[in-house]
Amino acid sequence: MYRHLSGRLKQLGINQADLAKKFNLSQASISHRFSGKVSWTLDEMYRLMDICQAAPEELHIYFPRNGGLSA
């Protein structure tokens, strides 16, 4: 899930452990968000857009419906 987001973070050399520290969450909590077990909050999405150096109008690319999986 979240292929584009994962790819961009990889390009930037940021892993889930790094994100956990930035968000003050456990690595498991970040993993649950990437797997779709827990939804990203809007605030988290915008913070990640900043981290990815992406424009707000690209939100739908980084956070597609259902994490990019078919419904």
Side-chain angles (χ1 to χ4, degrees):
M1 295 186 73
Y2 302 104
R3 253 188 338 236
H4 197 81
L5 175 61
S6 296
R8 180 63 179 144
L9 290 169
K10 187 175 182 178
Q11 286 177 336
L12 295 170
I14 299 170
N15 60 34
Q16 289 187 6
D18 298 327
L19 284 180
K21 289 177 188 173
K22 290 180 185 287
F23 284 86
N24 199 28
L25 294 170
S26 69
Q27 188 171 350
S29 293
I30 295 295
S31 178
H32 289 161
R33 284 162 173 76
F34 273 97
S35 69
K37 292 178 184 174
V38 174
S39 297
W40 295 98
T41 67
L42 191 56
D43 183 55
E44 290 168 342
M45 288 184 213
Y46 279 109
R47 286 180 63 197
L48 271 169
M49 296 298 288
D50 288 341
I51 291 168
C52 290
Q53 303 163 2
E57 49 275 0
E58 295 179 296
L59 186 70
H60 69 284
I61 296 170
Y62 287 84
F63 296 96
R65 283 187 186 190
N66 300 320
L69 298 177
S70 298

